[in-house]
Amino acid sequence: MHVTVNGDRVELDDGATVADLVAARAGGHDRVAVARNGDVVPRSSWAQTPLTSGDAVEVLAATAGG
């Protein structure tokens, strides 16, 4: 299936969840926020939130700066 992640079209396995996407795209980041089709997906729901073809996902990682 194809989804848009941070503006880029990517292919994922059928049945992929938000948790699968975060593990693949933001490995090592524990401060990540995800929105699917404009709605924030709570971290506690990532593993139970399936992605479907055509979804638009934003994966944002917090960074420290000054």
Side-chain angles (χ1 to χ4, degrees):
M1 84 175 120
H2 290 96
V3 299
T4 302
V5 180
N6 296 348
D8 296 325
R9 186 174 179 192
V10 298
E11 186 168 339
L12 299 173
D13 292 334
D14 288 339
T17 65
V18 169
D20 297 329
L21 175 65
V22 170
R25 300 278 295 202
H29 291 284
D30 59 345
R31 292 183 163 189
V32 174
V34 178
R36 186 181 117 225
N37 300 325
D39 294 322
V40 173
V41 180
R43 183 181 298 267
S44 61
S45 299
W46 288 0
Q48 295 83 29
T49 303
L51 296 169
T52 58
S53 192
D55 279 348
V57 181
E58 295 293 324
V59 179
L60 307 169
T63 57

